[in-house]
Amino acid sequence: GDRYRQADTLNSLGDLALDHSPAGDPQVLFTQAHTLARAIGAALQEAHALAGLGRCAHRAHDVLAATTAFTQSLTIYQRLGSPEAAIITGYLADLHRGTDQHPDAR
């Protein structure tokens, strides 16, 4: 019944699914995590879910969706003073350089 941990678990499963497709659909898992995190006001989990959605979009070569998700994630991470902001800044720089490197290859 701990909704914060549920969001954390969904994000962790999304991370796993990005590398191991049998773990599920990362887009679905991150979307569920995002919805739950927003509903309970769990900003850190929301930022993680948005970053995951950005990674999914980048893998699908959807630069607009990736940029939007990463930017939203970055805004939250910066507000929280999280070191994850630097990683998201790197993802955005990769997108703007037009690199083919997937952000999860870091």
Side-chain angles (χ1 to χ4, degrees):
D2 183 341
R3 294 172 67 190
Y4 184 91
R5 288 180 202 241
Q6 289 174 351
D8 183 49
T9 299
L10 288 165
N11 276 325
S12 294
L13 288 171
D15 289 334
L16 178 65
L18 278 170
D19 293 325
H20 305 287
S21 58
D25 182 341
Q27 179 83 26
V28 169
L29 293 163
F30 287 125
T31 298
Q32 291 173 343
H34 181 250
T35 300
L36 180 56
R38 283 185 58 98
I40 63 172
L44 187 61
Q45 293 303 324
E46 181 181 358
H48 185 144
L50 287 164
L53 289 168
R55 291 165 56 208
C56 291
H58 190 221
R59 278 194 169 184
H61 305 289
D62 186 343
V63 175
L64 179 59
T67 300
T68 299
F70 285 144
T71 300
Q72 291 172 347
S73 176
L74 178 61
T75 299
I76 296 169
Y77 279 137
Q78 286 175 330
R79 187 180 77 235
L80 297 173
S82 173
E84 296 291 327
I87 294 169
I88 303 304
T89 300
Y91 291 173
L92 285 165
D94 287 347
L95 282 173
H96 292 156
R97 280 194 299 266
T99 65
D100 289 331
Q101 178 183 354
H102 290 293
D104 29 280
R106 290 186 183 271

